[in-house]
């Protein structure tokens, strides 16, 4: 089977290969016939190769003999060769289709994986069911009290005095709570700041939900102005069910203010 | 929390607040309510559950002065306080 395939591949219409193969075949044939003549008729041991070649079996010149070999195909195997050719073509088509299909799958995998992550909530991606009705219907878990500590930071370039107004608050999961920060602009120019926040420990961050706060939007403070900045938040009651959170009883909320440059558009998470 | 060594793990992804951002209270219109709330916190050793009435009043002040979008207080998690109030009023009424 393999031998037949090899012979088929050898006979493919790649002209250079065919010619060279046929030429060697012909040379082999003539050589073998020459040796036959030698052994059969005349013991010419000291004959030259030219004399050997001159003893050709047919009267035709060598190149026509070779060219004749090209068209003189074996009629019995022609249909079989056609079949092989067709089969090779279909195999090639299948392989090409598989290759294109794999490339397509690798492109499609990106959005599909994202959808899967959202549906299963793997890897900490925000599950889409983070809605407001939950706030209405949740009941506080009174037997688990958490201490929320507050931290305030300011970027070096921003000259505000920014600090929390309470150092900690004791809150139960499922209970909405209010906390205040204070910011003062001691300079003579209006300054625009923008803030972001961070929650420690990291895994508790997904249970920390802010209903309303002052982050991610530009806040403008006039010269020598002091404002109270509230944060209205709650800890998801499912916090109590999470075994990883069993030993967590302190959560730290840390806000950092940066100066917002005019016309600078920061990528805001969750906002368009 | 991503410390300097924590490159392999996921970084903290801040989420936008559910109802957006509070407009700044430039004129201190609700400062009294805030002071009342802070006083309550200090007196009760910073326990939130004992000061919910004051936080409710602060948010109501904000809503009255267009510093917060008006929303029914149940949606802000004050359902228990409202139920208590209605209960008290029906008791006193009857």
């Amino acid at each position: 089977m393999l031998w037949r395939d090899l012979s088929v591949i050898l006979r493919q219409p790649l002209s250079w290969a065919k010619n060279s193969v046929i030429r060697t075949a012909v040379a082999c044939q003539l050589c073998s016939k020459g040796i036959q003549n030698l052994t059969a008729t005349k013991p010419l041991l000291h004959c030259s190769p030219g004399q050997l070649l001159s003893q050709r079996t047919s009267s035709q010149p060598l190149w026509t003999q070779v060219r004749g070999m090209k068209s003189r195909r074996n009629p019995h195997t022609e249909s079989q060769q056609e079949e092989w050719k067709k089969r090779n073509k279909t195999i090639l088509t299948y392989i090409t289709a598989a290759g294109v299909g794999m490339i397509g799958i690798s492109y499609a995998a990106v959005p599909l994986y994202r959808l899967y992550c959202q549906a299963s909530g793997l890897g900490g991606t925000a599950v889409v069911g983070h809605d407001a009705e939950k706030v209405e219907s949740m009941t506080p878990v009174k037997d688990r009290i958490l201490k929320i500590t507050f931290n305030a930071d300011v970027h070096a370039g921003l000259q505000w005095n920014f600090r929390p107004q309470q150092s900690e608050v004791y809150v139960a999961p499922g209970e909405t709570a209010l906390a205040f920060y204070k910011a003062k602009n001691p300079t003579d120019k209006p300054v625009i700041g923008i803030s972001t926040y961070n929650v420690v420990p990291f895994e508790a961050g997904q249970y920390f939900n802010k209903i309303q706060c002052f982050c991610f939007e530009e806040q403008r403070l006039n010269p020598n102005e002091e404002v109270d900045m509230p944060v209205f938040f709650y800890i998801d009651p499912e916090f109590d069910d999470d075994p990883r959170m069993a030993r967590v009883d302190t959560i730290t909320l840390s806000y950092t203010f940066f100066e917002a440059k005019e016309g600078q558009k920061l990528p805001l998470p969750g906002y368009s | 929390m991503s410390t300097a060594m924590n490159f392999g793990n996921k970084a903290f992804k801040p989420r936008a607040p559910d109802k957006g951002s509070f407009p700044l209270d430039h004129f201190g219109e609700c400062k009294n309510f805030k002071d009342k709330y802070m006083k309550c916190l200090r007196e009760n050793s910073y326990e939130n559950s004992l000061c919910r009435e004051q936080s409710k009043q602060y948010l109501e002040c904000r809503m009255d002065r267009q510093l917060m979008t008006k929303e029914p207080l149940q949606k802000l998690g004050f359902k228990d306080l409202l139920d208590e109030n209605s209960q008290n009023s029906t008791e006193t009424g009857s």
Side-chain angles (χ1 to χ4, degrees), chain B residues 9-27:
Chain B
N9 293 359
K10 309 172 279 274
F12 178 77
K13 281 201 193 67
R15 283 199 309 264
D18 292 343
K19 300 214 190 313
S21 177
F22 275 124
L24 280 186
D25 184 8
H26 287 280
F27 302 109

Side-chain angles (χ1 to χ4, degrees), chain B residues 2-13:
Chain B
S2 42
T3 59
M5 303 299 192
N6 220 2
F7 286 123
N9 293 359
K10 309 172 279 274
F12 178 77
K13 281 201 193 67

Side-chain angles (χ1 to χ4, degrees), chain A residues 165-186:
Chain A
Q165 295 195 40
Q166 66 283 307
S167 52
E168 72 245 2
V169 165
Y170 293 90
V171 134
E175 204 174 60
T176 51
L178 189 59
F180 286 95
Y181 281 80
K182 193 189 279 279
K184 182 172 161 67
N185 177 11

Side-chain angles (χ1 to χ4, degrees), chain A residues 39-239:
Chain A
T39 51
T41 54
K42 302 171 197 173
L44 283 171
L45 295 167
H46 56 276
C47 272
S48 62
Q51 280 180 315
L52 275 174
L53 268 174
S54 63
Q55 294 173 10
R56 284 187 298 273
T57 46
S58 73
S59 57
Q60 281 177 316
L62 187 58
W63 60 89
T64 44
Q65 211 174 31
V66 170
R67 279 180 66 210
M69 296 268 315
K70 247 197 244 180
S71 52
R72 220 187 292 153
R73 286 197 198 154
N74 191 344
H76 302 290
T77 60
E78 216 171 84
S79 63
Q80 200 179 33
Q81 280 178 3
E82 288 293 323
E83 205 184 290
W84 285 336
K85 266 199 211 156
K86 218 189 297 180
R87 200 192 56 186
N88 282 352
K89 244 183 240 174
T90 46
I91 288 178
L92 198 63
T93 320
Y94 277 127
I95 291 175
T96 321
V100 170
M102 280 196 224
I103 293 176
I105 286 175
S106 61
Y107 271 109
V110 173
L112 284 175
Y113 184 69
R114 205 181 300 148
L115 282 172
Y116 166 71
C117 275
Q118 266 188 350
S120 66
L122 259 155
T125 35
V127 186
V128 196
H130 231 169
D131 46 359
E133 283 78 45
K134 195 178 192 182
V135 183
E136 201 175 327
S137 55
M138 67 184 178
T139 49
V141 182
K142 291 275 185 207
D143 54 355
R144 182 99 185 259
I145 302 283
L146 298 164
K147 177 170 155 181
I148 316 283
T149 50
F150 300 95
N151 182 35
D153 276 319
V154 152
H155 186 64
L158 184 63
Q159 284 161 325
W160 285 5
N161 299 333
F162 178 57
R163 60 189 194 284
Q165 295 195 40
Q166 66 283 307
S167 52
E168 72 245 2
V169 165
Y170 293 90
V171 134
E175 204 174 60
T176 51
L178 189 59
F180 286 95
Y181 281 80
K182 193 189 279 279
K184 182 172 161 67
N185 177 11
T187 64
D188 298 327
K189 291 195 292 282
V191 178
I192 301 175
I194 194 163
S195 68
T196 183
Y197 76 100
N198 203 341
V199 177
V200 181
F202 174 71
E203 291 86 4
Q206 61 183 358
Y207 293 105
F208 189 90
N209 302 314
K210 294 188 316 312
I211 298 175
Q212 204 160 358
C213 71
F214 52 89
C215 41
F216 307 124
E217 265 191 26
E218 291 180 0
Q219 311 288 357
R220 186 194 161 93
L221 275 186
N222 293 320
N224 295 311
E225 187 181 359
E226 187 172 28
V227 285
D228 302 313
M229 292 170 161
V231 182
F232 194 46
F233 64 92
Y234 67 95
I235 310 285
D236 199 321
E238 283 169 22
F239 180 91

